[in-house]
Amino acid sequence: MTFEIPKVSYTGKIREIPLGREGKTVIVGGESCYPFHLFEGEMPNPPKIAMEVYDSEPEDWPETAIEPFADVIKEPAAWARKCVDTYGAEMIALQLAGTDPNDKDLSADEAAKITKEVSDAVDVPMIVLGCSNVEKDTDVLKAVCEVCDGRNLIIGPVAEGNYRAIGATAIGYKHTVVASTPIDINLAKQLNILLGNLNVPDEKIIIDPSTGALGYGLEYCYSVMERIRMAALIQEDERLQFPIISNLAREVWKTKEVKVPESEAPLLGDIKKRGILIEALTAQCVLFAGADILVMRHPEAISLVKESIKDLMTGK
Amino acid sequence: MGLSGIEIFKKLPKTNCGKCGVPTCLAFAMKLAAGQAELDACPDIPDDVKEEIGEASAPPVRSIVIGTGDRAVKLGGETVLFRHEKRFENPPAFTLLLSDNMDETKIAARLKKFNDIVYERVGLVLRPGLVAIKAESGDASKFGALVEKVCNETDAGLVLMNEDTDALSQAAGSCSSRKPLLYAANKDNFESMGNLAKELSCPLAVKGSNLEELSEVSEKLIAKGLKDLVLDSGARTAKQALEDQIIIRRSALLKKFKPFGFPTIVFPCEMADNLMKETMIACQMTAKYGGVIVMSEIEGHSVFPLLLASMNIFTDPQRPMAVDQKIYEIGAANETSPVLITGNFSLTYFIVSGEVDSSRVPSYLLIKDTEGLSVLTAWAAGKFAADTVATFVKKSGIEEKVKHRKLVIPGYLATISGELEEELPDWEILIGPREASHLPAYLKQWKI
Ligand code: SF4
């Protein structure tokens, strides 16, 4: 018996999307194969990691996640600079969690002001994410689009309930949108169609099919991402041929297991390394499912994932 | 795969005696073909026929068992490339590597940790699977002594790593009843290794320096009559290992290429210089087809995340995403226990009930049918509106179970509390925390 390599013949390709302002763009997407299946296709733009910055001081983070940012945690712009200068962030993801009406309820104007400050402080591509409240996000993201005119931010979540208002504003100010849907390939496709009908250009769409943390529903998201990639690459489903973003750090760092100290749960081992690995492994899983942009928090988790991406690309 | 129900039927005794638990041989054959019955259920099939049917109806990746009893590890048996197609069958075995060159205190400490680590989660027992013992000292008696020590100190299955057949034979002879995996037959020693594995009836690992060589040695061993093989393609970089694992699995599934129709053994321990990075590579292997995953160390903080990853990847994708609408009693709840309500998305249920459980405050958890949507999405879609919540609360029977009338709603749904109080005039509506992780603190302060 002689053995031959059974290769998949891909007929589709993921769109390449340029992110960030002119002269400083980072391109994501462009794959013509399943993740890291480099023996049968190409990944011209390896996945990128966006480091989280919050609009206001986070209240429920474990000490292990605060520590790397302790000196800048009250100042979003300084925080973003630290991510870029100290930790080499390829992108920034500004989480406007404080705009949540059930949280600090920061106004659209306050959020826009913070966004502008952060955007002025760094020149890497910047993702700006609202609090997932359909109405509030509409107000906030519209204001954000306006003050950062021309910077090609990546704004979201743009959902079924507010895609028209946010989509139209994003077109006007030339930003990219994150089309977010709850763990369902058909809903993901449907929203992309709606955005297309609204005339959001195809090179301005990134998709977010939802993410769960390791041990908390990761499997559903993993499979939806895998299926989206299959549809895009094998079934040539054009409305799914977009890069995928995974907003994972938020999910990981709210779980019980990153917060329990070793003294209370000795079998779970070192709390710091455990948190880092839970974040890094969640990232590793979504990378193999097809994610192009990972929104991450801990610098050591990020280094691990970067190294893994490099090894998988270069074969070191 | 391959044989149809009718083809299998032709080979059965055709007595319709019913001893297999179904009334006719035909019905039994149909069940076999559908993978819903075990061949052994029929006591009257001659051995040679059994083998023939077994072979033809076997999954394209053979199932292999390493170890015995409670701690036996089953690997392989896989039938798909992607988990959404059908469930991945057997999760990988995270394996602790010990060397006969290590000093004794290190061995003792690592072995103890290996033995101690066991987690329970959603009714599943998660723990590292096997201990691999590697000959590095070049001294057969040292190797043998370590094998004996490990045998005495753990019930877990073993991987015996020694490419010197004589030394391996000495060490394995005394513990072959534990069904260790013998590592490894290569292009030079496969004759003697093959004989040893046959004689001891133990599973045998096959090692090639690349896929080509691996397929050749594997084929020769199959020709020698060996059945339980485990494959090592020799790859020792993340990239090459990924490629090899994919090609092995695809060859078995899509081409029915027999020499690759076995589970694999992989070595993150030889691919990184620190445990953090090693764990990343092990995670890759968990997603992409690793079987025995050999780690230089097993620490809680490294193996716990890996076990979560493997639990997620190997969960049945058909598992519904919604749980039933009803009252769930957590702990020994009584008439003064807190009452909480949330939606029936299975993750919501899992996370909330886990937190309530860990608070150690016995409680009633009302799960309302939200068609599997999370609370916020459900509320936006009108599935968690005050009137429907009220109807459910009244009909649920909770009013007979508790003497107080306090209902805790998810913090994210604070907006419905006013309306809900109108709909449920007897009840006081309390706004719970927004994140489930704050429930224990919240519940500990709860008073009626
Ligand atoms: S036990 Fe065997 S012989 Fe009897 S009915 Fe079942 S298949 Fe037929």
Side-chain angles (χ1 to χ4, degrees):
Chain A
M1 259 188 246
T2 54
F3 112 89
E4 57 177 299
I5 300 178
K7 287 191 184 170
V8 169
S9 56
Y10 301 98
T11 47
K13 185 168 174 279
I14 307 303
R15 277 173 201 289
E16 293 195 293
I17 311 277
L19 304 174
R21 60 192 81 169
E22 246 182 84
K24 295 280 179 189
T25 54
V26 168
I27 297 173
V28 292
E31 299 93 329
S32 61
C33 60
Y34 292 145
F36 305 105
H37 286 43
L38 297 169
F39 56 96
E40 58 186 12
E42 281 165 27
M43 274 181 103
N45 310 295
K48 298 286 183 298
I49 298 170
M51 280 187 85
E52 282 190 318
V53 170
Y54 278 73
D55 57 0
S56 40
E57 185 177 356
E59 278 157 15
D60 52 358
W61 288 17
E63 195 45 46
T64 48
I66 294 176
E67 186 221 296
F69 311 106
D71 53 337
V72 291
I73 206 147
K74 292 182 170 62
E75 301 161 73
W79 185 343
R81 260 198 314 273
K82 182 166 189 187
C83 288
V84 174
D85 297 344
T86 308
Y87 301 124
E90 302 166 307
M91 288 187 210
I92 292 295
L94 177 62
Q95 303 269 19
L96 298 173
T99 60
D100 190 332
N102 294 312
D103 193 327
K104 299 189 186 77
D105 203 13
L106 298 180
S107 70
D109 287 345
E110 287 169 290
K113 185 169 162 278
I114 296 169
T115 307
K116 178 76 172 24
E117 282 167 15
V118 177
S119 167
D120 287 343
V122 294
D123 59 8
V124 297
M126 186 162 129
I127 301 163
V128 183
L129 298 168
C131 63
S132 297
N133 173 315
V134 172
E135 290 92 43
K136 187 64 184 277
D137 283 353
T138 310
D139 295 345
V140 167
L141 294 177
K142 279 164 81 174
V144 162
C145 283
E146 215 179 301
V147 296
C148 292
D149 185 14
R151 301 253 167 112
N152 190 14
L153 300 178
I154 305 98
I155 58 157
V158 172
E160 200 196 340
N162 59 13
Y163 79 95
R164 282 178 180 277
I166 303 178
T169 316
I171 299 174
Y173 295 102
K174 300 198 172 56
H175 298 299
T176 300
V177 298
V178 175
S180 297
T181 44
I183 333 181
D184 184 312
I185 185 171
N186 296 316
L187 293 178
K189 180 173 173 177
Q190 178 64 17
L191 184 56
N192 292 343
I193 292 173
L194 293 173
L195 287 169
N197 294 345
L198 194 68
N199 288 326
V200 175
D202 283 346
E203 71 277 6
K204 295 279 188 193
I205 299 175
I206 303 283
I207 55 180
D208 166 19
S210 304
T211 299
L214 206 62
Y216 291 90
L218 175 68
E219 67 270 36
Y220 300 121
C221 315
Y222 181 95
S223 282
V224 168
M225 285 184 197
E226 264 194 340
R227 290 179 57 206
I228 288 176
R229 265 307 132 94
M230 288 181 104
L233 295 173
I234 309 263
Q235 291 134 27
E236 287 166 86
D237 195 328
E238 274 201 32
R239 294 321 290 169
L240 289 171
Q241 291 171 339
F242 296 93
I244 295 174
I245 185 172
S246 172
N247 191 5
L248 63 97
R250 243 181 12 168
E251 305 301 324
V252 166
W253 291 95
K254 71 180 182 200
T255 64
K256 187 166 62 184
E257 288 81 3
V258 304
K259 296 180 178 170
V260 196
E262 190 173 0
S263 54
E264 276 174 41
L267 291 183
L268 293 180
D270 183 80
I271 182 173
K272 181 176 167 192
K273 289 179 181 160
R274 185 199 323 143
I276 290 168
L277 282 173
I278 293 180
E279 182 175 19
L281 263 53
T282 302
Q284 182 81 319
C285 288
V286 295
L287 278 179
F288 279 102
D292 294 276
I293 305 172
L294 309 172
V295 177
M296 295 187 64
R297 184 171 301 173
H298 202 289
E300 289 179 51
I302 293 171
S303 308
L304 283 169
V305 177
K306 275 190 182 165
E307 195 175 349
S308 176
I309 293 171
K310 195 181 98 229
D311 291 349
L312 286 162
M313 294 301 300
T314 62
K316 192 206 75 151
Chain B
M1 311 303 248
L3 281 195
S4 71
I6 299 295
E7 284 164 323
I8 295 174
F9 169 67
K10 288 183 186 152
K11 300 178 196 292
L12 293 178
K14 301 197 195 66
T15 54
N16 299 334
C17 71
K19 282 184 266 184
C20 57
V22 286
T24 64
C25 294
L26 182 59
F28 183 64
M30 291 303 175
K31 284 200 138 198
L32 273 182
Q36 294 161 346
E38 293 282 340
L39 205 47
D40 290 337
C42 170
D44 300 331
I45 311 175
D47 279 349
D48 55 327
V49 178
K50 208 177 243 182
E51 198 147 296
E52 200 182 329
I53 301 177
E55 201 119 291
S57 61
V61 179
R62 187 173 167 85
S63 313
I64 308 284
V65 176
I66 302 170
T68 49
D70 285 356
R71 301 298 305 274
V73 164
K74 194 170 172 191
L75 297 166
E78 303 298 343
T79 58
V80 293
L81 289 164
F82 299 97
R83 67 174 293 282
H84 63 261
E85 297 170 324
K86 192 172 168 285
R87 187 170 69 117
F88 282 173
E89 291 294 327
N90 294 303
F94 299 107
T95 299
L96 171 66
L97 180 71
L98 297 175
S99 154
D100 61 1
N101 255 348
M102 272 181 196
D103 71 76
E104 275 181 33
T105 46
K106 204 177 202 177
I107 289 174
R110 291 188 180 187
L111 204 49
K112 175 168 183 344
K113 199 162 263 176
F114 173 88
N115 278 329
D116 286 349
I117 288 181
V118 50
Y119 311 105
E120 218 214 279
R121 208 178 158 92
V122 266
L124 291 174
V125 173
L126 305 176
R127 69 195 313 176
L130 304 167
V131 179
I133 304 153
K134 187 176 184 181
E136 286 183 316
S137 66
D139 177 345
S141 62
K142 238 178 142 181
F143 179 68
L146 180 56
V147 171
E148 201 182 317
K149 177 182 162 69
V150 174
C151 274
N152 290 334
E153 286 177 27
T154 181
D155 293 332
L158 307 175
V159 183
L160 305 182
M161 302 177 65
N162 196 335
E163 288 174 42
D164 173 346
T165 313
D166 291 335
L168 184 60
S169 158
Q170 280 173 39
S174 60
C175 66
S176 64
S177 62
R178 303 256 311 241
K179 290 273 171 285
L181 172 65
L182 308 180
Y183 181 99
N186 57 37
K187 67 178 193 326
D188 302 318
N189 71 5
F190 71 89
E191 282 289 352
S192 60
M193 278 289 179
N195 291 336
L196 177 64
K198 258 176 136 172
E199 183 192 315
L200 301 177
S201 58
C202 288
L204 176 65
V206 192
K207 182 181 178 183
S209 54
N210 53 42
L211 287 177
E212 195 69 53
E213 192 179 296
L214 178 65
S215 72
E216 286 164 17
V217 184
S218 170
E219 204 177 340
K220 286 179 183 146
L221 288 163
I222 294 171
K224 268 180 78 69
L226 282 122
K227 297 213 160 55
D228 292 340
L229 301 179
V230 174
L231 309 171
D232 174 6
S233 75
R236 295 295 184 269
T237 65
K239 184 177 184 219
Q240 190 62 48
L242 176 70
E243 182 178 330
D244 288 0
Q245 293 297 312
I246 292 167
I247 292 171
I248 289 172
R249 175 71 67 89
R250 277 193 198 160
S251 303
L253 263 49
L254 308 177
K255 304 270 183 189
K256 307 276 177 280
F257 183 63
K258 287 266 188 246
F260 286 171
F262 301 97
T264 62
I265 181 168
V266 291
F267 294 89
C269 58
E270 293 179 26
M271 297 160 67
D273 54 11
N274 66 76
L275 184 59
M276 302 294 272
K277 181 171 176 182
E278 206 181 304
T279 305
M280 291 293 282
I281 298 172
C283 178
Q284 165 191 329
M285 310 291 198
T286 303
K288 290 295 170 194
Y289 318 143
V292 178
I293 300 183
V294 186
M295 306 294 294
S296 65
E297 267 182 85
I298 298 281
E299 289 282 355
H301 56 254
S302 65
V303 83
F304 176 71
L306 283 173
L307 287 164
L308 287 184
S310 112
M311 178 187 81
N312 282 162
I313 301 280
F314 285 77
T315 296
D316 187 346
Q318 306 299 336
R319 193 180 65 159
M321 286 177 56
V323 295
D324 291 342
Q325 162 167 306
K326 65 174 188 188
I327 304 174
Y328 291 82
E329 204 175 309
I330 300 170
N334 62 31
E335 56 182 18
T336 63
S337 299
V339 178
L340 304 96
I341 187 164
T342 191
N344 79 333
F345 180 34
S346 58
L347 272 178
T348 304
Y349 167 73
F350 167 47
I351 293 168
V352 172
S353 60
E355 294 293 349
V356 174
D357 193 36
S358 73
S359 76
R360 296 176 206 274
V361 178
S363 304
Y364 290 108
L365 180 58
L366 301 187
I367 294 291
K368 180 184 181 307
D369 182 3
T370 52
E371 294 174 17
L373 299 174
S374 66
V375 275
L376 267 181
T377 323
W379 172 72
K383 312 255 183 265
F384 212 93
D387 53 339
T388 64
V389 172
T391 313
F392 166 56
V393 171
K394 284 182 207 149
K395 285 193 180 156
S396 68
I398 190 68
E399 296 187 338
E400 283 92 69
K401 290 190 186 278
V402 291
K403 61 178 188 194
H404 65 83
R405 290 290 179 268
K406 291 184 183 198
L407 177 65
V408 183
I409 64 169
Y412 277 109
L413 296 185
T415 40
I416 70 163
S417 69
E419 251 180 282
L420 197 52
E421 280 188 331
E422 278 170 37
E423 298 278 349
L424 289 170
D426 299 343
W427 287 77
E428 183 186 341
I429 307 302
L430 304 176
I431 305 197
R434 286 157 22 103
E435 299 293 345
S437 52
H438 298 163
L439 273 172
Y442 179 86
L443 289 172
K444 279 175 193 150
Q445 293 174 14
W446 199 89
K447 286 190 205 76
I448 42 169

